[in-house]
Amino acid sequence: MAIRVWISLFLCVYALLGSLSYASESEEKEYVVTLDHSNFSDFVGKHKFIVVEFYAPWCGHCKKLAPEYEKAAQILSQNDPPVILAKVDANEEQNKILASEFDIKGFPTIKILRYGGSVVQDYKGPREADGIVSYLKKQSGPASTEIKSADDVTDVNKIIIVGVFPEFSGEKYENFTALAERLRSEYEFAHTFDAKLLPRGDSSVSGPVVRLFKPFDELFVDFQEFDVDTLAKLVEAASIPTVTLFNKDPNNHPFVIKFFNSPNAKAMLFVNFNSDLIDTFKSKYHEVAEQYKGNDISFLIGDVEASQGAFQYFGLKEDQVPLIIIQTNDGEKYLKPNVEPDHVASWVKDFKDGKVKPFKKSEPIPEVNSEPVKVVVADTLQDMVFNSAKNVLLEFYAPWCGHCKQLAPILDEVAVSFESDADVMIAKIDATANDIPQGTFDVQGYPTLYFKTASGKISQYEGDRTKEDIIDFIHKNRDKAADQGSRKEEL
């Protein structure tokens, strides 16, 4: 979940466009195939290549994608061979087992299924019709294309992996094509007899060799290792910049996505790129990144102007800039505000040595908290929920969430009904403005309701969101005051 939040807040990589007008003929026929639990396996099993969108009817992004996806399906139906686009309502109860099987964490999620569904890959292309068509034509064709002239590869602003071979046969060539098949949704692959046809042609290269071109660092790297698994790891390591650059240039967005998808701890330096110190910061930061390369930490430098989503997500303020923040895989965050260029290296060393205390994002503690539904923030979560010795129903909400707004008056009524019961508290926390303990609560969407008994047992409420059902759930699952007393005596 966190990865999806980062990417959505940091980037608007793809423009999810609104509805387009269609000719009456295309309105009469739906080109996107509707699948569900009853026909999914049989339908997918009959196709070598099929694209499936998992969506929810209430999802705004899904609604915006729908006309683009339909238009792309219409165009691709005329392809030779046709490319089939399908969709599954993952919110439908009977289809949730499919969503679980394909590890669907958010909507819309698009998967590419190959060879009857035996190979599953994430769709990582654009989300407007022309971009979908272009991306899927490449994905449905050969995994690697032959370079026959210098004009065949001209875009060096992205990663391109080229195999140079004296002949297109043999174990090394077959391993290269297997690599291309495995990683084709991530990178563009090509092969050639003649190294002079490579971007920035190089007549000194003789195959077999794999050359990875990239628009950063040393610009290209050669591999002569042809074990598929080893080569895949080498490609992955070489395709991440020493320091990922985040600004408004869309050419950098794929590398920002890779940065956030990395399993490493993530160090992010936010600076005003118009500052007189920007070149000094970049130089010092790059030195630190080189020092820790291969040590489970990745580095990004972001322009404040382009990083407002990050500031909202991490609870940062512009008067803290220049600042560096590190987030680890367990969700802990470490912050150094108003950092100077010469202090970056020593602070990162302190972090690696375990000398830096975690930073917690929290809204201010309310001065008045007298409404029936109590407000919890990160700084009061421990005292109000975990240490309260009360039965607490806690709502995780987002201020912009329509379902949360519908639930609010119902929770108010539930809270009022328990006002005379000192052992029960109804509370809420803005999950977008406060850090949530990792591993304790699994908040995948809003609203999410959890119930903590007075004795400390935590469970998620998954019943109907009516006053009567929620009250009934609390009565059945709560600990009574007398129960608490007996438990303490036993202890």
Side-chain angles (χ1 to χ4, degrees):
M1 177 70 179
I3 291 173
R4 288 186 173 275
V5 173
W6 282 337
I7 293 174
S8 65
L9 286 171
F10 268 71
L11 308 170
C12 293
V13 181
Y14 309 116
L16 298 176
L17 303 179
S19 301
L20 299 178
S21 60
Y22 291 88
S24 58
E25 179 181 347
S26 65
E27 288 179 343
E28 293 173 359
K29 178 179 179 180
E30 287 189 356
Y31 289 86
V32 176
V33 178
T34 299
L35 300 177
D36 59 27
H37 70 289
S38 67
N39 62 2
F40 186 90
S41 295
D42 288 343
F43 190 85
V44 169
K46 296 175 183 176
H47 295 88
K48 183 179 179 181
F49 183 91
I50 184 172
V51 183
V52 181
E53 175 205 5
F54 292 86
Y55 74 97
W58 46 260
C59 165
H61 290 314
C62 301
K63 293 175 183 177
K64 291 178 181 178
L65 175 62
E68 299 296 311
Y69 196 63
E70 177 65 29
K71 183 180 178 183
Q74 180 186 356
I75 296 170
L76 289 168
S77 70
Q78 304 301 315
N79 195 60
D80 185 17
V83 176
I84 297 174
L85 272 60
K87 63 182 179 181
V88 173
D89 180 354
N91 195 60
E92 179 69 33
E93 189 63 36
Q94 291 180 314
N95 294 333
K96 287 185 177 180
I97 189 170
L98 281 175
S100 176
E101 179 183 343
F102 287 93
D103 195 29
I104 305 303
K105 299 295 187 184
F107 304 113
T109 295
I110 304 174
K111 299 283 185 178
I112 296 173
L113 280 59
R114 301 179 188 273
Y115 310 112
S118 61
V119 176
V120 181
Q121 296 171 320
D122 292 329
Y123 172 90
K124 297 187 177 181
R127 296 196 178 185
E128 43 80 25
D130 291 341
I132 294 171
V133 170
S134 176
Y135 182 86
L136 290 179
K137 280 185 175 180
K138 288 183 179 179
Q139 290 297 310
S140 61
S144 178
T145 57
E146 183 180 355
I147 299 175
K148 298 180 180 179
S149 75
D151 294 331
D152 287 345
V153 181
T154 57
D155 185 0
V156 291
N157 288 318
K158 58 185 177 182
I159 292 175
I160 304 170
I161 302 168
V162 182
V164 181
F165 298 94
E167 57 184 0
F168 297 153
S169 62
E171 182 181 359
K172 292 182 177 179
Y173 175 73
E174 290 173 0
N175 284 359
F176 174 78
T177 57
L179 176 78
E181 192 68 48
R182 180 191 294 188
L183 301 180
R184 63 184 298 165
S185 65
E186 302 274 351
Y187 309 103
E188 185 173 316
F189 286 84
H191 54 274
T192 185
F193 291 120
D194 190 352
K196 292 194 295 292
L197 302 179
L198 296 175
R200 302 181 293 273
D202 189 345
S203 58
S204 66
V205 178
S206 60
V209 66
V210 176
R211 174 164 288 191
L212 182 149
F213 293 92
K214 51 185 177 179
F216 51 81
D217 295 343
E218 68 272 43
L219 299 183
F220 71 85
V221 58
D222 288 341
F223 307 117
Q224 292 181 310
E225 168 63 62
F226 284 90
D227 174 78
V228 177
D229 291 336
T230 303
L231 189 52
K233 292 177 182 177
L234 291 171
V235 165
E236 186 63 26
S239 64
I240 299 176
T242 302
V243 175
T244 299
L245 180 65
F246 180 61
N247 55 16
K248 291 187 176 181
D249 184 351
N251 289 323
N252 293 323
H253 289 172
F255 307 115
V256 175
I257 293 174
K258 287 184 69 65
F259 171 86
F260 284 112
N261 283 335
S262 165
N264 293 342
K266 295 162 182 67
M268 294 157 277
L269 173 66
F270 295 107
V271 187
N272 185 337
F273 277 22
N274 294 320
S275 166
D276 293 338
L277 292 174
I278 184 60
D279 290 338
T280 305
F281 266 113
K282 285 183 177 180
S283 175
K284 296 288 186 182
Y285 197 57
H286 197 277
E287 290 176 8
V288 175
E290 285 282 5
Q291 179 183 349
Y292 290 98
K293 201 168 187 177
N295 283 291
D296 301 323
I297 181 169
S298 300
F299 292 81
L300 173 145
I301 184 168
D303 183 12
V304 171
E305 186 179 354
S307 305
Q308 294 307 305
F311 277 60
Q312 177 185 343
Y313 176 75
F314 289 114
L316 307 174
K317 298 180 176 62
E318 288 198 25
D319 61 10
Q320 296 173 310
V321 173
L323 65 86
I324 181 171
I325 185 167
I326 296 177
Q327 180 153 19
T328 56
N329 288 333
D330 60 3
E332 294 282 15
K333 292 179 281 290
Y334 303 83
L335 174 68
K336 175 65 174 176
N338 307 119
V339 67
E340 297 179 14
D342 289 334
H343 295 167
V344 172
S346 60
W347 186 82
V348 173
K349 183 179 184 303
D350 285 344
F351 161 77
K352 292 292 287 183
D353 292 342
K355 297 178 180 179
V356 181
K357 292 182 179 180
F359 160 78
K360 182 166 60 178
K361 178 179 71 172
S362 178
E363 290 183 291
I365 298 174
E367 294 182 7
V368 179
N369 204 353
S370 57
E371 295 298 318
V373 177
K374 304 306 177 187
V375 175
V376 175
V377 299
D379 286 338
T380 60
L381 184 64
Q382 194 68 34
D383 288 338
M384 291 185 67
V385 178
F386 296 112
N387 298 339
S388 67
K390 292 177 181 285
N391 300 281
V392 182
L393 182 75
L394 180 62
E395 177 203 17
F396 296 87
Y397 75 96
W400 42 260
C401 166
H403 294 295
C404 302
K405 293 175 183 177
Q406 292 176 1
L407 181 61
I410 296 172
L411 288 183
D412 281 339
E413 292 180 14
V414 173
V416 168
S417 72
F418 284 102
E419 273 189 322
S420 60
D421 190 332
D423 295 326
V424 175
M425 179 173 69
I426 313 300
K428 63 181 180 181
I429 184 169
D430 181 349
T432 69
N434 297 276
D435 280 338
I436 308 302
Q438 296 282 324
T440 304
F441 303 108
D442 183 23
V443 181
Q444 298 289 343
Y446 307 117
T448 294
L449 295 172
Y450 270 89
F451 187 67
K452 194 239 34 162
T453 67
S455 59
K457 181 181 176 182
I458 296 175
S459 61
Q460 187 171 351
Y461 175 78
E462 296 179 327
D464 290 338
R465 293 170 184 170
T466 65
K467 172 186 173 182
E468 292 74 19
D469 284 313
I470 294 173
I471 290 175
D472 184 57
F473 173 87
I474 293 173
H475 280 306
K476 287 180 178 178
N477 292 276
R478 63 175 293 179
D479 288 330
K480 303 286 188 183
D483 296 335
Q484 275 297 94
S486 63
R487 282 192 180 89
K488 289 178 181 178
E489 288 175 9
E490 290 172 6
L491 292 174

